Amino acid sequence: MVKICCIGAGYVGGPTMAVIALKCPAIEVAVVDISVSRIAAWNSDHLPIYEPGLDEVVKSCRGKNLIFSTDVERHVAEADIIFVSVNTPTKTRGLGAGKAADLTYWESAARMIADVSKSDKIVVEKSTVPVKTAEAIEKILTHNSNGVKYQILSNPEFLAEGTAIEDLFAPDRVLIGGRETADGQRAIKALKDVYAHWVPEERILCTNLWSAELSKLAANAFLAQRISSVNAMSALCEATGADVAQVSHAVGQDTRIGRKFLNASVGFGGSCFQKDILNLVYICECNGLPEVANYWKQVIKVNDYQKNRFVNRIVSSMFNTVSGKKIAILGFAFKKDTGDTRETPAIDVCKGLLGDKAHLRIYDPQVTEEQIQRDLSMNKFDWDHPVHLQPMSPSSVKSVTVAWDAYEAAKGAHALCILTEWDEFKNLDYKKIYDNMPKPAFVFDGRNVVDPKKLREIGFIVYSIGKPLDSWLKDMPTMA
């Protein structure tokens, strides 16, 4: 029986291994992590991450050919194929601080693999890593090999949170990069055979190591660039009276461009986009390509601009101050159908409003109060490090409370801010909400979830990203 072990039981490792176990019943899959609480959660009825369809997949395989364990060394020693899916946070100090990836956890995983291995292994990079990481890992393993042979493969994940299980069941492509040697090609074939249990062969792409590593960064950079592009257009739409939804639709009808990732919003978030672009910028700078680095930096600058613009619009619309005013925040996760808050635009928007002394009441159907408080009290790159290295008990932000539903959050609020596109926000009884708010009552829709016309008929003053401005907003121009 082929044995697979995945080091790291996070957003990538857990779901990916669960689907491999489901689709390959003859393969034994072990997911290992040093975090006792995380492994306990994977073995419980309340999984540590929320992802539609994940519960069913885990529960159908767990205890059969899917194991979650803290016995890291035993499962690594027994495995034929080892996936490494550990954190690659952004460095906070030293060379490349604020841009380069910190490979501390990767290096310690590689050294541990070398220490415990007695048989040949295929080691698979699963977490997003900078180009040439495979070379560094290879050096660590070969210099500590004790006669064991290792082949390093790059198999980047292309999962979108909220649809990760669908993406795993029917991927656009599976990318496997390896050495162009006989042993390297055999290793590629071994991993390809695993995916071939359910992925059509034409969707399994095989490349050299560096192409696979760079393809992941490039894909995320291109996607983020599309969001920044449409968000830049949203600012111009507001200035000219155009409607960004109509512009996006017209642009998206061009088959060369396509319709996806053209929704204007308060900004992009998630664990990958900003981190991977910063990584790309750093690699470009290190390779003497400052013009290319500056091009990708601009994608992040436009994203930051969009969040600042949204906060400025709120403050200027509400008589140039939100001090002491209660603002309801609907949605805190970076997108719907996930509880993930990493780099969510909501953090920067909330911090901007708190900087002007607003009182926030936050509701999100999947994010806990502890997570919200922790996110709002963290420094910029703290979120990227393992939980045990983050602030343990968040210094509670006094001006923030967390509500159990949207109506409770909105009660008595001067304004509503919609920051995540949860479906339930489309169907709220906005008349009931309006009746329980001081007037004038404002809605700032950062995701274009609501129908501005209907809300204006109720009596709201509405700001929707990239839509023609309410006459009230035209009279109160936002400051840059």
Side-chain angles (χ1 to χ4, degrees), residues 66-343:
L66 177 63
I67 301 158
F68 295 95
S69 171
T70 53
D71 193 348
V72 178
E73 295 186 0
R74 177 171 76 85
H75 288 291
V76 167
E78 291 175 358
D80 304 296
I81 301 173
I82 301 165
F83 286 83
V84 183
S85 188
V86 296
N87 278 55
T88 52
T90 305
K91 285 183 78 171
T92 53
R93 54 176 62 89
L95 187 65
K99 287 194 285 250
D102 181 347
L103 297 179
T104 305
Y105 308 108
W106 241 106
E107 184 177 334
S108 61
R111 290 185 185 281
M112 183 268 295
I113 291 168
D115 285 346
V116 304
S117 294
K118 303 284 187 287
S119 57
D120 295 353
K121 309 285 185 202
I122 295 170
V123 178
V124 183
E125 295 176 339
K126 198 65 187 164
S127 34
T128 305
V129 291
V131 184
K132 298 285 186 180
T133 299
E135 201 164 54
I137 303 309
E138 214 166 40
K139 283 174 179 163
I140 291 168
L141 292 171
T142 50
H143 281 84
N144 297 279
S145 67
N146 301 319
V148 173
K149 285 186 181 170
Y150 298 97
Q151 283 300 318
I152 315 297
L153 299 179
S154 174
N155 175 219
E157 54 84 18
F158 296 104
L159 305 178
E161 288 188 41
T163 59
I165 299 301
E166 284 174 45
D167 296 343
L168 286 162
F169 281 173
D172 290 337
R173 76 288 200 202
V174 170
L175 185 58
I176 303 172
R179 286 287 190 191
E180 292 162 312
T181 60
D183 285 344
Q185 295 303 301
R186 274 194 289 276
I188 287 174
K189 184 179 184 308
L191 185 54
K192 188 176 176 181
D193 288 347
V194 172
Y195 285 110
H197 280 81
W198 78 97
V199 180
E201 190 171 355
E202 65 273 12
R203 291 196 184 179
I204 303 175
L205 312 181
C206 300
T207 68
N208 71 29
L209 267 173
W210 325 131
S211 297
E213 288 182 337
L214 187 54
S215 293
K216 169 65 176 174
L217 297 184
N220 278 343
F222 276 50
L223 291 171
Q225 178 201 49
R226 282 175 72 94
I227 297 172
S228 281
S229 295
V230 76
N231 282 343
M233 283 295 162
S234 75
L236 187 57
C237 286
E238 289 169 30
T240 58
D243 183 329
V244 74
Q246 294 173 358
V247 173
S248 294
H249 180 67
V251 169
Q253 291 299 103
D254 186 325
T255 52
R256 296 166 301 175
I257 297 171
R259 291 172 301 182
K260 293 184 177 176
F261 271 70
L262 287 181
N263 291 328
S265 70
V266 66
F268 61 71
S271 62
C272 288
F273 283 178
Q274 178 150 318
K275 185 171 82 168
D276 287 358
I277 296 172
L278 289 170
N279 208 327
L280 197 57
V281 166
Y282 182 66
I283 294 166
C284 292
E285 289 172 346
C286 290
N287 283 284
L289 300 169
E291 292 83 2
V292 182
N294 288 335
Y295 175 77
W296 290 112
K297 263 186 205 166
Q298 196 59 36
V299 172
I300 289 175
K301 282 185 180 170
V302 169
N303 195 49
D304 290 338
Y305 164 73
Q306 187 77 341
K307 292 181 280 191
N308 291 337
R309 201 169 74 78
F310 190 76
V311 172
N312 290 345
R313 179 66 77 184
I314 294 167
V315 175
S316 64
S317 302
M318 298 176 71
F319 311 103
N320 240 11
T321 179
V322 289
S323 179
K325 292 176 183 171
K326 183 177 162 188
I327 298 180
I329 304 291
L330 300 187
F332 197 83
F334 85 93
K335 65 187 281 193
K336 73 172 185 176
D337 291 336
T338 178
D340 195 353
T341 61
R342 293 176 291 179
E343 288 286 1

Side-chain angles (χ1 to χ4, degrees), residues 16-35:
T16 305
M17 294 304 115
V19 169
I20 288 177
L22 181 73
K23 298 292 188 180
C24 309
I27 294 177
E28 184 181 294
V29 181
V31 182
V32 297
D33 202 295
I34 56 171
S35 168

Side-chain angles (χ1 to χ4, degrees), residues 293-441:
N294 288 335
Y295 175 77
W296 290 112
K297 263 186 205 166
Q298 196 59 36
V299 172
I300 289 175
K301 282 185 180 170
V302 169
N303 195 49
D304 290 338
Y305 164 73
Q306 187 77 341
K307 292 181 280 191
N308 291 337
R309 201 169 74 78
F310 190 76
V311 172
N312 290 345
R313 179 66 77 184
I314 294 167
V315 175
S316 64
S317 302
M318 298 176 71
F319 311 103
N320 240 11
T321 179
V322 289
S323 179
K325 292 176 183 171
K326 183 177 162 188
I327 298 180
I329 304 291
L330 300 187
F332 197 83
F334 85 93
K335 65 187 281 193
K336 73 172 185 176
D337 291 336
T338 178
D340 195 353
T341 61
R342 293 176 291 179
E343 288 286 1
T344 175
I347 294 172
D348 287 334
V349 171
C350 289
K351 283 185 172 179
L353 295 170
L354 290 168
D356 206 317
K357 299 185 178 168
H359 293 287
L360 306 183
R361 196 146 173 74
I362 301 173
Y363 165 68
D364 187 287
Q366 287 296 334
V367 184
T368 64
E369 177 166 8
E370 186 196 4
Q371 186 62 49
I372 289 169
Q373 293 283 5
R374 180 187 275 148
D375 285 333
L376 292 177
S377 55
M378 270 194 224
N379 292 324
K380 186 145 184 68
F381 292 112
D382 281 351
W383 65 269
D384 212 359
H385 291 75
V387 171
H388 66 281
L389 296 178
Q390 293 172 7
M392 279 308 287
S393 52
S395 54
S396 189
V397 184
K398 290 188 176 60
S399 301
V400 173
T401 52
V402 176
W404 292 104
D405 70 29
Y407 297 105
E408 188 198 344
K411 198 170 188 180
H414 293 81
L416 303 183
C417 289
I418 303 173
L419 300 182
T420 312
E421 71 281 20
W422 287 102
D423 290 339
E424 69 178 80
F425 298 155
K426 294 175 188 170
N427 304 314
L428 294 173
D429 182 345
Y430 282 98
K431 176 72 171 74
K432 175 180 166 185
I433 289 172
Y434 179 79
D435 289 343
N436 286 307
M437 290 172 69
K439 311 299 182 290

